Amino acid sequence: MKIIFLSHTSRNSTFKVGSYHLSNEAIKVHGVLYINPPISPFHYLKALLFKKYRTTIFKVKTEKPLIYTEENGIINYTPFKLFPFRKFYGLENIIFAEKSELSWMHRRKLRVLGYDKADLVIQDNLNLTFFKTLINCKKWIYRPTDDILSMPNQSKKYLLIENKVVNFSNQIFVTSTELKKIISDRYHRDCTVLHNGIDIKKLQIYSRKVPPIIKRLSNQRAIIVTYIGSLDQRFDFKLLTFIARMLPEHQFVIGGSSSCYFPDFPNVHEIGNVPYEEVGNYYSNSDYGILPFNLKNVGNKTRSPMKLYEMAAHNLNVISTPFNEILHRKHNFLKLASSKEDFIELLKYKPSPINVDYKDFPTWQTNFKKIINE
C-alpha cells in the first residue's frame, strides 16, 4: 500500500504536526511519500528581504534536499513552483493552488519516485491541491486542522479551494468538535473528529535528562511553569506578562521561538526552539504546564490542544484558558482559569502529585488505524 501526505508543515520543522506523526505510523507497514509545502522564487525573494524569515521558515524549507529519503524509509519531496497561492504579493488566483505551471515536472518526479499511483492521499495543505490532477489515487482524505479563515494572512479565496477539496474527497477528518461544526455547516459534508494524539512510549523515552536551565531553577526550589509550542498571535502574551509580574518567585520556561518576547522579566526564561525529542525533558522536570491561549483570537476557536496530552504524559498538572475545544476535555490533571486572577490562584502553590490515566488518551497509532479502516 502506498500513502501520500500533502502537509502544511515540513517534516524537518521543529514543530511536529499531525501529518508528521501519522506518517511515522504509516511507514511501519506501508510506503510513504511526504510532500512538504512548495517552494518558489518568491520564497527566495522574501528570504533576501527579511532576516527573520530567512533564519526560520526559509531555513527549514532549504536545509534539506528537495527530495530525500529518511532512515525510516519516508520519502520527502518539496515541490518547486513558479507561482504559489499566497495573499502576499497579490497572488490570490486559485489557479495557483488548483493547477501547477510545472505539472510535467511534478508528474515526472512522482513517476520516478513510484508514487504517480497511490492507494491513499491524506491532505491538510490547500496549497498542494494541484496534486489531485497528478496522482491516480483510490482514496482521498481531507484532514483540515484549523478553520482556514481563522489563520493569519489567509485569503477568503481559500474557501473556493477548500470547497473543491471537500467535494472530491472521499472522507473528511477534523481535529476538533468546533471544526467539525464549521466544515459541516459550510459545505454540508459529514466529518469525523480525530483529536490530535500522542505516542506515550516515545514521549517518555524522550524525558530522561534534566536540561541545564531546569536543573539550575530546581536548585532554587522554585515552582517551574513550562510552555513549549507555537508563539504566534494565538498565544496570550499579555496574560503571561501579568502572571510573571504577579508571581516573581515562579520561574517560567517558554520555548518555541528564537525571538525574545519577555526581556524585562528575569523569571521568564525563553529557551528558543526545542527539538521534539527534547520537549519531554522539560515537561518531566516541571511543576505545571500551561496553555495560555488568547480567547479573543479566532484562531483558538477550532484549536485542538495536542500539548495537553504531551504534558499529561509526564504526569504534569495543566492550567489552561477555557478556549472552545479544551472545554470538552474532562481530566483530573486539567484546570481551567477563566480570568488572569484565576490563573494566578491555580499557580500559587506546588501542585499535588497526580497519576494520569492514559487509557482514554487519543494516540497516533489509533488515529491512523481509524483513517485506514473507515
Side-chain angles (χ1 to χ4, degrees), residues 190-342:
D190 189 34
C191 307
T192 300
V193 177
L194 282 183
H195 294 136
N196 284 322
I198 59 170
D199 185 334
I200 295 174
K201 291 183 179 178
K202 184 176 289 186
L203 283 171
Q204 291 176 340
I205 290 173
Y206 290 158
S207 59
R208 296 177 177 174
K209 297 180 180 179
V210 182
I213 181 67
I214 296 287
K215 186 179 294 185
R216 178 169 61 83
L217 297 176
S218 297
N219 291 337
Q220 299 175 17
R221 300 183 181 277
I223 292 178
I224 301 172
V225 184
T226 299
Y227 171 85
I228 298 174
S230 179
L231 291 169
D232 54 27
Q233 300 96 320
R234 295 179 293 176
F235 186 89
D236 197 333
F237 293 93
K238 290 183 179 179
L239 174 60
L240 185 58
T241 298
F242 179 82
I243 296 170
R245 181 181 293 116
M246 298 301 293
L247 297 173
E249 301 302 316
H250 285 50
Q251 302 297 321
F252 296 85
V253 177
I254 307 297
S257 173
S258 56
S259 298
C260 184
Y261 294 101
F262 306 95
D264 300 324
F265 291 86
N267 60 330
V268 178
H269 310 274
E270 299 181 80
I271 56 176
N273 291 323
V274 181
Y276 179 73
E277 295 79 9
E278 297 178 15
V279 169
N281 294 328
Y282 291 90
Y283 288 152
S284 60
N285 293 285
S286 298
D287 297 300
Y288 288 102
I290 54 171
L291 299 173
F293 298 140
N294 189 343
L295 299 180
K296 294 181 180 179
N297 190 291
V298 294
N300 287 319
K301 187 176 181 181
T302 58
R303 188 173 200 147
S304 182
M306 187 187 301
K307 299 171 190 66
L308 171 68
Y309 297 114
E310 292 181 352
M311 292 173 177
H314 299 93
N315 292 310
L316 196 60
N317 288 265
V318 182
I319 301 174
S320 174
T321 51
F323 59 96
N324 289 48
E325 188 63 22
I326 204 77
L327 293 172
H328 296 286
R329 313 299 170 90
K330 310 295 182 183
H331 300 291
N332 67 319
F333 57 82
L334 172 64
K335 304 296 180 185
L336 298 179
S338 298
S339 67
K340 55 187 180 182
E341 289 80 13
D342 287 347

Side-chain angles (χ1 to χ4, degrees), residues 124-127 142 144-160 162 179 182-183 186-187 302:
D124 61 49
N125 186 350
L126 294 175
N127 289 322
Y142 179 43
T145 57
D146 291 285
D147 174 17
I148 195 67
L149 293 184
S150 72
M151 302 306 291
N153 301 318
Q154 301 299 330
S155 166
K156 288 186 177 180
K157 289 189 178 181
Y158 265 112
L159 293 180
L160 300 176
E162 186 173 62
L179 186 55
I182 289 173
I183 295 294
R186 183 180 290 162
Y187 304 111
T302 58

